[in-house]
Amino acid sequence: MPDANVRIPADARDRLAEIAAEEGLSLRSYLARLAETLLTPAERAERAAKARAVLREWNGYDPDEREQTELDAELDRRMAETGAA
């Protein structure tokens, strides 16, 4: 596979290189592995839809869009309280 050049701030590059080195990887290998493990927005949406389908089948849980928005806001609020956001 051909390589690509990506321009990022030097501080970000250095931080990523340090993290990669701690894991015994080159920056190139670390970024390739990272790209393989992260989900695209479409992949996340697909997984969420599958999870909702499983919950609906298992116990009837099926929030409508309004409920989903409220639940998302509540999760965001709780994460902000813990400093996780």
Side-chain angles (χ1 to χ4, degrees):
M1 172 183 337
D3 287 341
N5 291 322
V6 178
R7 296 179 56 86
I8 61 171
D11 290 348
R13 179 208 57 218
D14 294 345
R15 179 175 171 78
L16 290 169
E18 182 178 345
I19 294 167
E22 290 286 328
E23 295 188 27
L25 298 169
S26 67
L27 179 55
R28 182 181 188 276
S29 296
Y30 178 78
L31 291 174
R33 186 181 74 182
L34 184 63
E36 291 173 5
T37 61
L38 296 176
L39 299 175
T40 66
E43 291 166 334
R44 284 194 306 272
E46 181 182 350
R47 282 195 181 183
K50 286 179 181 178
R52 283 191 301 272
V54 168
L55 286 170
R56 186 173 43 251
E57 183 177 316
W58 176 57
N59 68 4
Y61 181 73
D62 191 17
D64 61 27
E65 189 151 337
R66 180 190 55 76
E67 291 170 313
Q68 188 68 42
T69 300
E70 290 173 359
L71 291 167
D72 287 346
E74 177 65 11
L75 179 59
D76 289 344
R77 184 188 66 75
R78 288 182 183 209
M79 289 184 70
E81 285 178 357
T82 65

